[in-house]
Amino acid sequence: MADPALYFNRELSQLDFNFRVLAQAQDEAVPLLERLRYLCISCTNLDEFFEIRAATVRHAQDFGMPGAPDGLAPSTVLRRIHERAASLVEAQYRCWNELLRPALNDAGVRILGRDKWNVRQKRWLRTYFRDEIMPVLSPLGLDPAHPFPKILNKSLNIVVVLKGKDAFGRSGHLAIVRAPRSLPRIIQLPERVSGGEHDFVFLSSVLSEFVDELFPGMQVKGAYQFRVTRNSELIVDEEEVENLALALRDELIGRGYLRAMRLEIAADCPKPIVRTLLENFELPENAVYRIDGAVNLNRVIQVYDLVQRPDLKFPPFQPRQLPGSDAMFELLAEDDLLLHHPFDAFTPVLELIRQAAEDPNVLAIKQTLYRTGKDSAIVEHLVQAARNGKDVTVVVELRARFDEEANLGLADRLQEAGVQVVYGVVGYKTHAKMLLIVRREGRRLCRYVHLGTGNYHSGTARAYTDLGLMTSDARIGEDVHQIFQQLSGLAPLIRLHHLLQSPFTLHAGILERIAREAAHARAGRPARIVAKMNALNEPQVVRALYAASQAGVTVDLIVRGACTLRPGVDGVSENIRVVSIVGRFLEHHRVYWFANDGRPDLYCASADWLERNLLHRVETCFPVLDPALAGRVREEALNNYLADNLNAWELQADGSYLKLAPGDEAMPHSAQSWLLAKLCG
């Protein structure tokens, strides 16, 4: 079980997920602007991969940290990352240049390169450059008095080769032009100028074309766009800081200038300039990516929003509304409710909090917030609840990656309104999704609970697949109450009735249930495990699944992204199947089902089967006790996805993914389309 050959590398597996996303951009059956969106998602994902995952490997290399079960040294992983990423970047730009850009042009959505501008367009763009762009630029010539400037993470820059002397008699050589974040990266041409309703140009093209106007009296010999991606993982020694919020604010100031991880530069940039940039950013040669197009290709996503062409997008849908949601407490007093987003509206969650804020019988509201989005209605309701005299406690996770700044502002806003804000537990991110409302009903206090697999974020509730359970079950309410007590105080280890909790009981609970299935199989009883999650890498869980397979347990795993388990190995994992679903919505729910000899257990969770989630975060895993609702979850989130033969990719024993297709006698089945038809009509 310790053989490194039985484990894939997590980083390389995560990187490969983006090839599956890119395949959606290459699929002619997908609406054209949606294909553009998938291309941009793959580019943005790659940015984040270098900012976090590759940076983590570099950190492991620098500090000699112990290796992963796959046995690969960090230096080897970094080399393979750059090799694989280079293939991905080449495929992305080939998709853009050869497929999407021509197809968009044919559909009347033109992203015009410099070689396509006519005289009138060029005249308008020159005026636009002089009026809107040039006033905010500060070109910097490189000489002993002007050393290489700090380059912000993922910012657009132009390196300019100059010849001649300036007004002070200084000889020109190299200059850097940085594009401020205030400038739009995509510029729409007026229809009266361009003749087309949807004509656009990249800011990088405009800068490259008119950069000579920034250096009057000098000759521009070349202008080459570049972009550097930096480590963005904030590291705060929580044991040593007295105030986590203040420490994070300090770290955020310098985040954009941390260690460089990757350099993207125009394909025609001369080698000496590339060497100069690599030396400045302290990068090896394999960390440079020569780009055939705009270095910030993901910015073309703006076109998706600017072009109102329903014929080029997925058909709109209306989420199913919950009848009677104007009286949430009455509904939950009768039955548990299950919400399957985005097919079910997020409205009942918002309504429950709003009604709790206004209800005079509600005494307290407790909630965890990891990501909320801008102008969150939930935050407004919590603020109103505090103003109405409710006892409101919110656990805000300040270290939610890339939302740190937003969450600091959120915490300030809540505290100003009188909400008690807790930052969780030192050393453990609070990733659990919990809402608890305490309401007086006659002589007793009742607890109403919402538990979810996704964030309290209205935007992601329309784009991610997630499950939410709403209940007034007293024992679940008691469990959630105890977890909140633990987060906000210094409560001892607690014994929960129904919930499993990281970092205490969830990991052991999963291992116990996997072992139970193996025992059933060895006793000759039918045994099966079906689990859906975003990623899988925890070594003990992987070994337990191998042992279950060897015992004869049928294991079906639906893992969207990274999976370090190797299926299909004779004598080890021949009973394990792994599929990844990539479709219209981002697959995000976590569901675990164990057959248990006819008495099945079904859990939903905020946690993936990752080492960080099971051992180093605060997570919740909750059972669906109502048999009818449990049946719904199994049908909609497990069986339905295992039947997908249109958007599913099956992981092979060699680490590659095979796109599934309907067989000769099989009906085509898309899990997400089936849910849209079933739940949204």
Side-chain angles (χ1 to χ4, degrees), residues 280-432:
N280 177 76
F281 296 126
E282 299 179 339
L283 287 171
E285 287 196 13
N286 66 351
V288 64
Y289 295 78
R290 288 185 173 270
I291 301 301
D292 183 18
V295 295
N296 53 350
L297 183 57
N298 60 314
R299 293 304 193 108
V300 80
I301 190 63
Q302 296 172 40
V303 171
Y304 180 93
D305 297 318
L306 291 169
V307 175
Q308 302 305 313
R309 288 281 301 275
D311 57 312
L312 301 181
K313 298 182 180 181
F314 284 129
F317 74 99
Q318 289 297 322
R320 182 172 63 175
Q321 300 295 325
L322 176 68
S325 61
D326 56 340
M328 291 300 302
F329 294 114
E330 287 79 357
L331 283 178
L332 295 178
E334 294 179 7
D335 294 297
D336 290 354
L337 294 173
L338 179 76
L339 299 175
H340 194 167
H341 309 299
F343 317 101
D344 284 323
F346 194 62
T347 311
V349 180
L350 301 177
E351 273 297 298
L352 180 62
I353 302 172
R354 185 191 68 78
Q355 291 170 30
E358 301 294 341
D359 190 331
N361 294 317
V362 168
L363 306 180
I365 303 172
K366 304 176 189 291
Q367 187 167 13
T368 59
L369 292 179
Y370 192 76
R371 304 188 197 278
T372 62
K374 190 178 181 182
D375 302 323
S376 169
I378 285 178
V379 173
E380 297 304 318
H381 297 329
L382 293 172
V383 166
Q384 189 60 48
R387 289 172 177 165
N388 288 345
K390 317 295 182 189
D391 183 81
V392 183
T393 300
V394 176
V395 182
V396 177
E397 181 47 70
L398 295 182
R399 296 152 299 181
R401 188 174 292 138
F402 299 119
D403 273 348
E404 296 95 345
E405 189 171 2
N407 283 2
L408 284 165
L410 165 66
D412 290 344
R413 171 93 196 283
L414 291 170
Q415 286 173 323
E416 289 168 1
V419 174
Q420 176 174 270
V421 174
V422 179
Y423 297 143
V425 181
V426 171
Y428 296 87
K429 282 188 179 181
T430 302
H431 194 248

Side-chain angles (χ1 to χ4, degrees), residues 38 131 240 267 273 415:
Y38 283 117
D131 294 345
E240 297 296 325
I273 296 178
Q415 286 173 323

Side-chain angles (χ1 to χ4, degrees), residues 178-195:
R178 295 177 294 181
R181 290 279 170 93
S182 59
L183 292 176
R185 267 41 183 177
I186 295 290
I187 300 165
Q188 184 166 11
L189 293 166
E191 187 174 357
R192 59 179 174 76
V193 171
S194 186

Side-chain angles (χ1 to χ4, degrees), residues 198-230:
H198 303 300
D199 288 350
F200 305 89
V201 297
F202 279 103
L203 173 65
S204 55
S205 298
V206 178
L207 288 174
S208 298
E209 179 68 23
F210 303 116
V211 72
D212 59 319
E213 301 209 12
L214 297 172
F215 305 97
M218 304 187 77
Q219 183 181 1
V220 173
K221 303 292 289 184
Y224 312 99
Q225 55 178 309
F226 73 92
R227 192 175 77 134
V228 64
T229 310
R230 297 183 180 274

Side-chain angles (χ1 to χ4, degrees), residues 485-541:
Q485 292 292 98
Q486 194 180 58
L487 289 172
S488 62
L490 295 171
L493 189 64
I494 53 180
R495 183 175 181 85
L496 302 177
H497 298 290
H498 286 304
L499 269 64
L500 299 174
Q501 177 200 12
S502 291
F504 304 114
T505 58
L506 178 52
H507 184 234
I510 290 170
L511 294 177
E512 176 187 327
R513 285 157 178 77
I514 295 173
R516 186 182 63 189
E517 292 302 311
H520 286 315
R522 283 191 291 269
R525 295 185 288 270
R528 190 179 183 203
I529 298 169
V530 185
K532 185 176 187 297
M533 64 202 72
N534 299 328
L536 164 64
N537 85 327
E538 205 289 306
Q540 292 183 64
V541 171

